[in-house]
Amino acid sequence: GRRSSGVLNEALAAGKVAVVPERTWLASQVDGERGVVYRHPAGLAEGVIAAIENFPALSRAAAAYKTIYRGQQNTRRFVQALAQNRGGLERPPAGSVLYVMDGDGIRRNTGSGSVARQQLQALIALGYRVHAVFQRLYVDDWHPIQDMRQWMLDVREDLREYKLASIWGVGHLPFYGHAGLASEREVMRGHDFRLDLGVAYRAASSAPMGLIETLRADPPRFALVNYVQSLPFARALVGEETPLLVEAHDIQAFQIALRNPQGFQQADLDLELKLLGQARHVIALNQVEADFL
């Protein structure tokens, strides 16, 4: 979205002529004496031709500029910048946090699982006691309680490097012998293709009594939710007064549209925005989605 490039950094530091598109960060780093800024997107060919025709003069200017650029962009200045910012982040007072995460993302090492590990690491580094709740979602028709126990053992093993205050697994009907839904498989067939079904499916997860008692004894200052579909479930755990922070891990209405035979559904996006509106803060993983939201 911002059109930045490590390749351009290397080119400038090496004294090379650069051809870059206008109205980008790239263009802000290049001027007409040592490079060419072309009108995007149709002008690339003309920009390359202009660079070739004026190459001797552009090359001399680029070679002369590299010394200036290296003086601004180097490892010493990078370390200085890190050192200046050290300690600038104010540590919160001691307290606990509820973290609600798609447990299959942790087990499968998905992108969301990688983000979750970084978030857990950051919360612990900030001094929070983290009560982590992992939802098991992608399951078959019938799973005995022993299967859930083994899954939780695997999750604990995956997270043994983190000093979590408590770790909980929340599952669906077969794990707890509840008969509110006819068939797990039947629900799962459709829940990926409609946001409201996904929300209802997660909201119906059964929370262990030990988790509820833990949160009563150590009320969290806020809850961090990994997916918008889990927001109502997290709200039910912490009540109405506890702030919710929700990660917009991709715009889910758009992700569902990729798998839905009917394509994009406005109802999915409307529901997603309504749910996100209930959060104190929404964390997007890229600037484009942050701007959209």
Side-chain angles (χ1 to χ4, degrees), residues 241-277:
E241 300 302 318
T242 303
L244 293 181
L245 279 66
V246 180
E247 177 189 317
H249 193 80
D250 300 321
I251 305 296
Q252 290 298 295
F254 298 159
Q255 291 295 310
I256 291 171
L258 297 175
R259 302 190 296 271
N260 193 339
Q262 285 136 1
F264 170 72
Q265 301 294 305
Q266 184 65 39
D268 285 336
L269 182 58
D270 291 344
L271 175 58
E272 184 168 5
L273 295 176
K274 180 180 178 181
L275 289 171
L276 291 175

Side-chain angles (χ1 to χ4, degrees), residues 232 234-244 278 280:
R235 174 59 76 200
L237 286 178
V238 298
E240 293 297 325
E241 300 302 318
T242 303
L244 293 181
Q278 298 173 19
R280 176 75 62 86

Side-chain angles (χ1 to χ4, degrees), residues 104 134-152 169-179 184 201 204-208:
D104 296 293
F134 297 94
Q135 288 190 290
R136 190 176 189 193
L137 304 172
Y138 300 106
V139 292
D140 209 336
D141 256 344
W142 184 253
H143 298 270
I145 191 69
Q146 290 82 358
D147 185 61
M148 182 62 168
R149 285 176 180 152
Q150 183 57 53
W151 185 81
M152 273 308 302
V170 297
H172 235 275
L173 314 172
F175 301 139
Y176 299 99
H178 193 274
E184 193 120 339
Y201 185 81
S205 296
S206 298

